[in-house]
Amino acid sequence: MPRETAATMFGSGTEFGSDATFLADPIVDVTEAASLYSQISGVLAAFAFAGLMAYLVEGDRRRPGSESDQAERPVTVSLFLTLVSLIVVAVLYAILAGGPPDSGAGYLGIMIYGLAFALSILSMFHAITLLAERSRGLRSVTPVFRLWTSLAGPALTVLLVSSASLDVFFKVNGKDASTVGQLWPIRPFGLGLALTGVLLLTIGLASRRVSKLKFEWPWWCPVIPAAVAASTALLAAATAVVLLMQPQSFVPSDALLIVLVSIAFLFSLSFALFSLINMPSSRTEAHSAGPPESDQEPEPDVLSAAGPDTVATQLPASVV
């Protein structure tokens, strides 16, 4: 296959080759990376499906409208939305794997689908957090899960999405490009670094305020993070049509990459903020000092319901 030039693909005079960049490109082949991500998404979707089926089977054993049935509802809905988002992401990556291995639209797809993929993984951890809050044995590790879903995970998502913009930068500019200018906030990668710091600061300040809130939240509030992840996956699916229409010579502009990094920040910040909300189970923790109430109706007390004459006739003669 003849060696292509940047003038042919991107309208530049820089020549591509195996030694075109002075830094190693994180993603050498878009199709290979997309195929791997599609397989991982499919495996995670299988785990989400298994967890959802287990909760549906367990829900059949509870009385409708009981306290435990209402408490488990956010976990079931979160698992369902996580399953939907992971399936959508797996299909999107599979479609991307069938395209050209080094197109600008492919690198842009990795960047867009990566946001949906990361939030879907965080949504699965969020469902595990909801489950851990309702289990006496796992309640001690709940702060670790909450730290990941509300702080570390969203910050890492913004950082990875902004780092994906460097793939396009190196692909366009080649070995003569300098990364020093990419650290400025007016560039996609520099803006991602700045927004990562803003997210960490915002969540750090909001965590103190949220912990002081005492009012009851609706049951659907714990479902919002999973809804954010599912919405991101559906929006990514809408952009797939546009990406398929782009020619191989398409190159995303810095303005477009900056918009995508900003959108990744907004979705990640929304996921993190709603993950901080005190869940109903955590607020009822004070009421769980005694043994948990059973969903089954208590058996009637036969001795107390019967009269004294009836009790006397039922007791042995030696006791009477």
Side-chain angles (χ1 to χ4, degrees), residues 6-301:
T8 304
M9 299 179 63
F10 299 105
S12 174
T14 306
E15 187 175 4
F16 282 115
S18 59
D19 56 347
T21 59
F22 67 95
L23 290 177
D25 197 278
I27 298 179
V28 179
D29 192 339
V30 173
T31 59
E32 183 178 353
S35 178
L36 177 62
Y37 295 155
S38 178
Q39 296 176 17
I40 297 176
S41 301
V43 172
L44 293 179
F47 281 111
F49 178 78
L52 178 61
M53 290 297 101
Y55 264 91
L56 292 178
V57 172
E58 183 66 21
D60 294 338
R61 303 175 182 176
R62 294 188 293 266
R63 290 185 304 163
S66 62
E67 183 178 354
S68 61
D69 180 67
Q70 296 178 359
E72 300 297 339
R73 190 185 306 173
V75 182
T76 306
V77 179
S78 297
L79 284 174
F80 174 76
L81 294 177
T82 302
L83 174 63
V84 172
S85 58
L86 286 172
I87 292 177
V88 172
V89 170
V91 173
L92 292 177
Y93 276 130
I95 296 175
L96 189 62
D102 55 355
S103 64
Y107 280 99
L108 187 61
I110 289 291
M111 186 176 180
I112 297 175
Y113 304 159
L115 172 61
F117 187 28
L119 292 182
S120 299
I121 295 177
L122 291 180
S123 179
M124 177 171 287
F125 278 99
H126 177 69
I128 296 176
T129 304
L130 296 179
L131 175 62
E133 287 181 342
R134 290 161 174 78
S135 174
R136 293 181 178 273
L138 298 177
R139 192 172 298 171
S140 59
V141 299
T142 300
V144 178
F145 287 110
R146 186 170 295 278
L147 178 65
W148 170 251
T149 58
S150 62
L151 185 65
L156 184 61
T157 299
V158 178
L159 185 61
L160 291 178
V161 171
S162 59
S163 299
S165 64
L166 292 178
D167 297 336
V168 180
F169 171 77
F170 286 126
K171 202 64 177 175
V172 173
N173 297 275
K175 63 180 181 180
D176 296 330
S178 175
T179 56
V180 177
Q182 298 298 311
L183 299 178
W184 292 98
I186 59 175
R187 298 295 183 181
F189 180 68
L191 178 63
L193 293 178
L195 292 180
T196 302
V198 173
L199 189 145
L200 292 174
L201 180 61
T202 303
I203 297 303
L205 296 176
S207 60
R208 298 182 179 181
R209 293 294 189 94
V210 172
S211 61
K212 297 179 181 179
L213 298 178
K214 302 300 182 181
F215 59 91
E216 288 287 333
W217 299 93
W219 72 267
W220 45 263
C221 278
V223 183
I224 296 181
V228 172
S231 302
T232 308
L234 295 178
L235 289 176
T239 61
V241 180
V242 180
L243 293 178
L244 291 175
M245 298 172 58
Q246 302 302 319
Q248 188 174 356
S249 58
F250 168 75
V251 180
S253 62
D254 279 354
L256 178 58
L257 297 179
I258 288 176
V259 171
L260 292 179
V261 171
S262 302
I263 293 176
F265 167 75
L266 294 177
F267 276 95
S268 300
L269 180 62
S270 301
F271 188 99
L273 288 176
F274 284 109
S275 296
L276 282 176
I277 294 179
N278 291 327
M279 306 304 177
S281 61
S282 62
R283 292 192 302 274
T284 58
E285 204 170 273
H287 303 285
S288 61
E293 298 182 359
S294 176
D295 293 339
Q296 300 179 355
E297 296 182 359
E299 297 181 358
D301 191 350

